Amino acid sequence: MAYWLVKSEPDSWSWDQQVKAGAKGTPWTGVRNHTAKANLIKMKKGDRAFFYHSNVGKEIVGIVEVAKEHYPDPTDKTETFVVVDFKAVEPLKTPVTLVQIKADKKLSEMALIKYSRLSVQPVTADEWKYVCKLGGA
DNA sequence: GCCAACGTTGGC
DNA sequence: GCCAACGTTGGC
């Protein structure tokens, strides 16, 4: 199983909305970047991803799971980009903030820091376990 | 095919 | 609100 991190501005799609959307899963729409698209395509059902609030909060707030593998983005008229469906798994008891990640040597290689504008990124198994521990998940 | 101009993302 | 990073567009 692979691990990922997805970003969303809570003003447009927040963790709370993801939780309320329930166990069926909801499409992760709006990706318009080819690197991010390539990552979406690599995702397999059952893969897990951190849900990160960009701009407001700037912290990892929860864990989602791939409920459905990639298919064309219904909001993309050009039919170039894809979505996957995510469902909420569990919140982090303690959100892990960007400040915390930057200050932590173990997490200094995270794509979140190195490729700060990429909205769908891979996370290594070590980073995954460590962030889960920090967050109390 | 190069590169300047422009738009967007996202941290500060 | 500013601006750095970076992707995209369009003229040549």
Side-chain angles (χ1 to χ4, degrees):
Chain A
M1 156 154 79
Y3 299 105
W4 309 91
L5 181 146
V6 294
K7 295 201 246 183
S8 181
E9 296 195 26
D11 290 343
S12 50
W13 181 253
S14 71
W15 170 252
D16 284 347
Q17 285 172 287
Q18 184 73 58
V19 170
K20 279 177 194 152
K24 293 190 301 292
T26 47
W28 192 263
T29 56
V31 167
R32 295 292 182 271
N33 170 287
H34 292 287
T35 307
K37 176 193 173 185
N39 287 330
L40 287 177
I41 289 172
K42 285 180 203 156
M43 289 185 191
K44 299 290 180 200
K45 191 172 179 180
D47 279 1
R48 300 212 158 177
F50 288 130
F51 191 110
Y52 175 82
H53 277 170
S54 64
N55 243 314
V56 179
K58 283 170 284 183
E59 56 193 10
I60 296 170
V61 289
I63 293 170
V64 293
E65 182 177 313
V66 178
K68 188 177 177 188
E69 291 179 18
H70 68 93
Y71 58 97
D73 186 338
T75 69
D76 175 26
K77 287 180 200 130
T78 66
E79 298 180 356
T80 305
F81 294 97
V82 301
V83 295
V84 299
D85 284 3
F86 283 126
K87 62 179 180 188
V89 176
E90 67 171 318
L92 296 194
K93 288 198 194 85
T94 315
V96 177
T97 66
L98 182 64
V99 172
Q100 214 178 331
I101 290 165
K102 280 190 162 172
D104 198 314
K105 278 184 192 151
K106 288 199 181 68
L107 299 174
S108 62
E109 293 296 307
M110 278 190 79
L112 189 63
I113 296 166
K114 292 175 89 176
Y115 309 98
S116 63
R117 290 189 50 209
L118 183 59
S119 59
V120 180
Q121 1 178 303
V123 171
T124 69
D126 286 347
E127 288 162 354
W128 182 268
K129 281 182 207 149
Y130 188 67
V131 171
C132 284
K133 206 168 94 186
L134 290 179

